[in-house]
Amino acid sequence: MTGSNSGVPENGAAADRDLPADRAFACADCGRRWYYDRRRCPDCDRSAADAASVRLETGAVVATTTVETTPPDVRAPNHLALVRFDEVRLIAQAAAADLSPGDRVRFDGSHRLRDGPDRTDPRLVAAEES
Amino acid sequence: METEVRVSGVGMTPFEGDSQRPLADLAAAAAEKTLADAGVDPADVDALHFGNALAEALDESAGLANALAAALGLDGASADRVENTSATGASAFHRGVDRVESGTADIALVVGAEKMSAGDTRSVTEAISRLVHPREYAQGVTLPSFGGLAAGAYLDRHDAPREALAAVAAKNHRNAVHNPVAQFRKPIDVEDALDSPVVAAPLRLYDCCPMSDGAAAVVLTRATDEDDAGHPAGPRVAGTASATGTHAVAERPDPLSIDSVRTAGERVFDRAGIAPDDVDVACIHDAFTVLELIELEELGFYDPGNAWVATLDGDTALDGDLPVNPGGGLKARGHPLGATGLSQIVELVWQLRGDLPESRRVDGAETAFAINVAGFGNNSVCTVLRA
């Protein structure tokens, strides 16, 4: 399996730092993953310039909020969740307000997260129990 | 080790939601009050540090420090601008302390000013939204979003009622009632806060600081005695310290942990040679009510999960064991970004000098603490003052 939580790179070097919402960076040496761009791997100090990108599979919700007062180009309400995908932690939009701390989630769909940018990204949804 | 630097004069304009005065006038007004309070001739000032966060974003002009120096008649003084988002005021203060402490300036004037009403709501919201990490920005995340996530986690982990947050807002509004420079001098009760519109659940409108216009300033010297005109040397700067944290808030291992707050606090207490128990009055960066609780715990004033209990018990009220935000805090005094950190210093100097009316005075205060926070903990700036 590639692109899993194991941190196996899926698509080679991630020269483009503007990754889709469901992708994290992965160190080319040690496989350590991170979500918010940085210059070097936090574990082995390898340059992040040649980091790969990996797809995030399922994670656990840490906290949630629903924002009613959003910036002009963001739809209201904006459901947000702080989620842990193993060592990767991120805040992302959720499709609905039905998530709670401890829930398992995954990214799904294709949505315009802000008005204006000509791009779409997946949102968080509840992961089906296996 | 304590510095030899004294806060020899303070002054500020009222904080307002929509001042009719231009940014430069606000800054000059605060500076002139401060120079008069210190009994310092403008010609004797040899360093000016001007804190402002949003001028360019709100279509104000650059070169603010040079313009202010000229307007005040600080001929030949060195001058520069300091920017550190919401902690701009405290960072400017630290730069001034460093100049005087190092001996590269004998008298430093530090001014912080912001005119957030200069832009429309959209442009101000956009400018503040850009403070978050670009990948957070792409998700529509704003500073209140972080506040909502942290508040939900705080209430959940500590099994605290929603009233715990509302009590912070009610306390800080109550403190602002008698503060003539506060933006909101209207008391609110816990029910008012609980009934206000949701901003970022569970945070509501009264859990959030306003956008503000205003300016605050201090004069720093190494004076040791009252001058011939009776101006006191002023409280001593016992310690200053700052620390950065993660830019992306999600990267923190715990949503209730703000490393920059804890680290800056440890550093400043060490430098001042005191412990949290020694503090008589504190100004805590309450941009959101939950931040006051988290910061009090991260700084060691209360154990984790205890700040909300202390607040409900009245410990942080004006007549409590640890009065917090006696001037109303960001919540009710207001939060003009570049001025806020300096307004905390102004408030604490007033408290230490004892020159406030009884209705809002912390009697016998000798040691004062301030924390001014950039973003949602990207950078924290702490100060300890001694009478």
Side-chain angles (χ1 to χ4, degrees):
Chain A
M1 185 170 76
T2 59
S4 71
N5 286 344
S6 66
V8 176
E10 185 174 73
N11 67 341
D16 178 6
R17 320 308 293 174
D18 195 17
L19 295 180
D22 60 345
R23 284 184 171 274
F25 298 100
C27 178
D29 265 358
C30 69
R32 170 70 149 83
R33 298 179 306 156
W34 64 89
Y35 193 75
Y36 299 97
D37 57 301
R38 55 177 66 239
R39 303 285 294 176
R40 312 194 77 81
C41 172
D43 278 358
C44 73
D45 208 36
R46 166 78 179 256
S47 170
D50 53 356
S53 77
V54 293
R55 187 183 305 281
L56 297 165
E57 297 295 332
T58 59
V61 174
V62 176
T64 64
T65 186
T66 293
V67 183
E68 302 288 351
T69 306
T70 59
D73 58 345
V74 178
R75 59 153 175 72
N78 189 17
H79 310 299
L80 294 168
L82 171 59
V83 181
R84 282 201 176 107
F85 293 84
D86 296 329
E87 79 264 39
V88 171
R89 292 180 290 267
L90 59 88
I91 296 171
Q93 289 190 10
D98 57 353
L99 299 177
S100 300
D103 287 352
R104 302 292 297 175
V105 291
R106 62 182 172 82
F107 280 101
D108 186 58
S110 179
H111 308 274
R112 183 166 288 196
L113 304 184
R114 301 186 74 113
D115 292 340
D118 186 21
R119 64 173 282 176
T120 59
D121 288 271
R123 287 185 180 142
L124 295 166
V125 298
E128 295 174 6
E129 299 294 334
S130 58
Chain B
M1 194 176 78
E2 289 193 9
T3 76
E4 296 300 318
V5 180
R6 303 282 188 143
V7 186
S8 297
V10 296
M12 61 185 287
T13 70
F15 284 1
E16 305 171 85
D18 187 10
S19 174
Q20 299 306 302
R21 307 164 81 175
L23 176 65
D25 280 5
L26 290 170
E32 286 173 339
K33 284 184 184 181
T34 302
L35 291 166
D37 184 55
V40 166
D41 188 314
D44 292 332
V45 172
D46 44 16
L48 169 67
H49 305 291
F50 188 0
N52 174 271
L54 297 176
E56 290 82 0
L58 302 182
D59 296 328
E60 298 276 352
S61 60
L64 296 169
N66 305 331
L68 181 62
L72 294 172
L74 312 184
D75 298 336
S78 67
D80 61 16
R81 157 120 172 250
V82 178
E83 187 278 313
N84 188 15
T85 69
S86 305
T88 290
S91 289
F93 177 77
H94 284 200
R95 187 171 295 178
V97 170
D98 288 346
R99 291 292 305 278
V100 175
E101 176 71 356
S102 69
T104 58
D106 291 325
I107 299 177
L109 171 64
V110 185
V111 183
E114 205 76 54
K115 185 174 170 64
M116 299 176 77
S117 68
D120 57 25
T121 301
R122 183 186 182 98
S123 59
V124 176
T125 302
E126 175 66 10
I128 295 173
S129 295
R130 290 285 183 183
L131 300 180
V132 307
H133 190 282
R135 284 196 95 174
E136 293 172 329
Y137 177 85
Q139 299 288 329
V141 172
T142 58
L143 294 181
S145 309
F146 297 137
L149 290 163
Y154 188 94
L155 300 182
D156 186 49
R157 180 176 306 176
H158 301 309
D159 196 24
R162 179 63 188 74
E163 285 78 2
L165 302 174
V168 174
K171 183 238 333 153
N172 290 346
H173 271 262
R174 188 166 58 247
N175 288 348
V177 167
H178 298 290
N179 184 356
V181 294
Q183 184 171 345
F184 297 129
R185 301 184 63 191
K186 176 186 129 185
I188 64 165
D189 57 28
V190 167
E191 288 68 32
D192 293 327
L194 292 174
D195 290 342
S196 62
V198 173
V199 172
L203 292 184
R204 293 173 177 266
L205 182 64
Y206 279 130
D207 290 299
C208 307
C209 67
M211 295 180 183
S212 312
D213 298 342
V218 303
V219 163
L220 300 169
T221 73
R222 269 173 288 161
T224 53
D225 298 309
E226 182 176 285
D227 70 13
D228 294 341
H231 298 101
R236 183 191 301 270
V237 181
T240 60
S242 64
T244 51
T246 66
H247 185 193
V249 170
E251 286 195 319
R252 297 165 194 172
D254 183 337
L256 301 184
S257 169
I258 307 179
D259 283 350
S260 67
V261 171
R262 188 169 56 254
T263 303
E266 289 170 353
R267 288 174 178 166
V268 82
F269 287 132
D270 181 60
R271 289 174 189 173
I274 66 166
D277 283 351
D278 297 319
V279 172
D280 299 315
V281 57
C283 284
I284 303 293
H285 190 98
D286 59 326
F288 307 104
T289 51
V290 70
L291 275 179
E292 181 170 311
L293 302 177
I294 293 174
E295 290 168 32
L296 285 170
E297 295 173 9
E298 289 283 59
L299 291 163
F301 289 110
Y302 298 100
D303 290 334
N306 283 2
W308 72 270
V309 178
T311 301
L312 288 179
D313 287 348
D315 285 4
T316 58
L318 196 61
D319 59 353
D321 289 342
L322 177 65
V324 173
N325 289 326
L330 284 64
K331 177 68 205 69
R333 182 182 50 228
H335 185 26
L337 305 190
T340 294
L342 283 158
S343 74
Q344 293 177 320
I345 301 298
V346 171
E347 171 68 24
L348 293 177
V349 168
W350 283 338
Q351 293 287 352
L352 293 174
R353 295 195 318 204
D355 52 4
L356 290 169
E358 189 177 349
S359 59
R360 71 179 220 84
R361 186 172 65 224
V362 177
D363 285 325
E366 294 187 346
T367 302
F369 174 90
I371 182 166
N372 192 196
V373 176
F376 202 80
N378 307 135
N379 192 329
S380 295
V381 187
C382 295
T383 303
V384 172
L385 303 177
R386 298 293 299 271

